[in-house]
Amino acid sequence: MIELHPISSEHARAICEEIGERLRYALRDDYADLPPRLRELMRRLAELDCEAPQLVPTIEEMTRPLVAA
């Protein structure tokens, strides 16, 4: 049986940021070994990533008090 251990939104955000940083570090210069088509797709993904709106809320957005409607 799997037990769920809820963590605070602050810790969840920190974990996501750390995973992203580690992936960026691990993938930073490894494109040279990729086939040309995959290298082009990775370049395009990086380009689109810079243009895309932020989908993940900031820590401030996640921790602000809720307003009752």
Side-chain angles (χ1 to χ4, degrees), residues 1 12 21 24 38 41 43 50 59:
M1 184 175 152
E21 285 299 315
R24 276 189 285 282
L38 191 51
L41 290 173
R43 185 200 60 75
C50 291
I59 192 69

Side-chain angles (χ1 to χ4, degrees), residues 1-42:
M1 184 175 152
I2 298 174
E3 292 185 37
L4 298 177
H5 298 282
I7 60 175
S8 70
S9 60
E10 181 177 293
H11 287 117
R13 184 71 195 146
I15 291 169
C16 290
E17 288 176 0
E18 182 64 25
I19 290 169
E21 285 299 315
R22 290 183 186 201
L23 284 172
R24 276 189 285 282
Y25 180 78
L27 296 173
R28 69 187 186 282
D29 292 323
D30 294 341
Y31 299 153
D33 296 338
L34 295 176
R37 175 68 178 143
L38 191 51
R39 196 174 328 133
E40 173 60 24
L41 290 173
M42 292 299 290

Side-chain angles (χ1 to χ4, degrees), residues 60-69:
E60 292 81 19
E61 293 171 334
M62 293 183 349
T63 57
R64 70 177 173 220
L66 294 176
V67 178

